[in-house]
Amino acid sequence: MRALGWAVVMAGLVLAGCGGSGDAGRADAVETGDGSAGGLRQVMARLGAGGPAADYLDYGDMAHWRSLGVVTEDGPGQDRRWLSAVGSGFGDFGLNASRLAEPTGINVFTADRGVSVGTPPRTAIRIEGRLDSAGIRAKLTALGARPRTIGGQEGLSMADDNAIDMKGPQTRLGLLNQLNQVVVTDSALVSGAAAAPVAATLGGGPSLADSPDHAAVADCLGDVVAAIIMAPPQPGGVALYGVGLRRPAGTTDRAVDVVCVLPRVAEVGRTFAERFTVAAKAGGRPLSDLVETVTHDEVRSGGRTAHRATLTIKPDGPIMLSHQLLFRNELAALADPSAPADPLGIVRPTP
């Protein structure tokens, strides 16, 4: 599924080494809504509440990885342990970073934050940070882009909405049609296959941060450096899932993953809390193989209550374990037995 971009591909590098459950604890409910979600909440404030981000958003904080030396402005550094998290939020721009920088001026490693939103065909990528907007516009124009007004802003169009040219410049860059419609300023670039999802990701009007459900999950996740918030594709017992990697203070820190479930019915929260530690498996292995501790609590925010599991990953465990549980549909199977077998459409049977 190309909309998941780098996050799916990089997570796949460690899927084979999954497993675990450790000590289980339960804390009292935590009241939040105090901005502890940090950069995730800030980005959500610039995403339209009715846009594609309401269904799916993948967030990443490149500036933090740069501050730790995990990446430089030229690409990955020497520390490989955290690399599977680095491209979160940048979709196919992260996956094809080395091809894009020179011909387009889009260098994800110099960005501050990224978020890829939606499911095909309603998808968009937003990159935030100091951007050479004039240089990017000049290079995209050289590739064939023409002026187009998108969401009331001056933008560029490389093709008709949702068009795919298998012999065009985008395919040579490793993309499909993610640069069809682009709006770029000195602080943000928003791109997508069609104008409508790009316009919804430009900001203005009610934002995703104003949505009580999404705000509650963001507050539940806390200060994360990579995260996904996803609505189930079919109505069921869960309103939203959230998974994230807490921001490490240094490269030698233990990885701490967070799993949040916002239920529609009380039974879902109870089922999740009871089953997660004892029944969760990653790639067929028990959670205890890869996790030192698992603690459970409830997070109240804006009148909503999210159920949270916090996982301290063993030194040799996969730092994106919570993402793997979501990608493999193991999280949905634990929290909501009525969930479809493969909500993201990416799980394939083993030959």
Side-chain angles (χ1 to χ4, degrees):
M1 184 174 180
R2 293 183 65 86
L4 298 181
W6 177 310
V8 170
V9 174
M10 296 306 291
L13 296 179
V14 289
L15 280 173
C18 299
S21 134
D23 299 333
R26 181 148 188 114
D28 293 335
V30 177
E31 187 77 33
T32 184
D34 57 0
S36 60
L40 173 59
R41 271 273 211 151
Q42 294 176 30
V43 170
M44 287 169 56
R46 294 185 279 273
L47 303 174
D55 296 326
Y56 178 91
L57 73 84
D58 179 3
Y59 163 82
D61 186 341
M62 188 67 75
H64 187 66
W65 296 126
R66 213 165 44 245
S67 73
L68 297 184
V70 175
V71 300
T72 70
E73 292 190 350
D74 297 320
Q78 297 300 311
D79 190 316
R80 316 304 286 185
R81 178 183 173 220
W82 301 94
L83 190 58
S84 60
V86 164
S88 295
F90 293 91
D92 281 358
F93 287 175
L95 182 62
N96 295 283
S98 60
R99 296 185 188 182
L100 288 174
E102 179 57 34
T104 69
I106 302 171
N107 182 356
V108 301
F109 297 112
T110 65
D112 290 341
R113 297 168 183 148
V115 59
S116 54
V117 303
T119 57
R122 298 177 66 243
T123 62
I125 299 172
R126 181 184 177 102
I127 297 174
E128 298 184 353
R130 290 195 303 269
L131 302 173
D132 178 9
S133 58
I136 293 172
R137 281 195 293 267
K139 290 189 174 186
L140 292 180
T141 298
L143 290 173
R146 296 292 181 264
R148 179 181 182 182
T149 300
I150 302 172
Q153 299 192 37
E154 295 182 2
L156 293 170
S157 176
M158 293 191 69
D160 293 339
D161 282 358
N162 297 313
I164 298 173
D165 181 358
M166 297 308 297
K167 296 182 179 179
Q170 293 193 66
T171 57
R172 294 196 295 270
L173 297 173
L175 303 176
L176 191 62
N177 57 6
Q178 292 88 342
L179 285 172
N180 276 9
Q181 317 303 336
V182 181
V183 174
V184 58
T185 69
D186 290 336
S187 60
L189 179 146
V190 181
S191 178
V198 170
T201 312
L202 290 172
S207 78
L208 201 61
D210 298 322
S211 161
D213 285 359
H214 284 81
V217 174
D219 287 339
C220 176
L221 290 171
D223 190 11
V224 286
V225 71
I228 290 173
I229 299 178
M230 186 190 83
Q234 299 177 13
V238 174
L240 288 173
Y241 293 102
V243 297
L245 171 65
R246 285 280 172 80
R247 182 184 306 274
T251 56
T252 60
D253 283 7
R254 290 280 197 273
V256 176
D257 279 18
V258 188
V259 176
C260 295
V261 174
L262 184 68
R264 294 186 187 276
V265 294
E267 289 77 8
V268 165
R270 184 165 53 251
T271 298
F272 172 69
E274 291 175 350
R275 298 186 63 204
F276 183 81
T277 304
V278 297
K281 292 185 178 181
R285 296 174 59 190
L287 212 56
S288 56
D289 285 359
L290 299 174
V291 174
E292 290 183 347
T293 60
V294 179
T295 60
H296 288 272
D297 63 357
E298 296 177 352
V299 180
R300 298 194 189 100
S301 173
R304 305 296 197 270
T305 299
H307 298 264
R308 177 168 64 188
T310 304
L311 295 68
T312 302
I313 309 299
K314 291 182 177 180
D316 58 348
I319 65 168
M320 301 289 276
L321 177 58
S322 63
H323 283 62
Q324 295 173 16
L325 293 171
L326 182 68
F327 292 153
R328 287 184 176 274
N329 198 37
E330 290 167 339
L331 176 56
L334 288 169
D336 186 4
S338 68
D342 184 13
L344 293 180
I346 60 173
V347 178
R348 297 291 180 267
T350 303

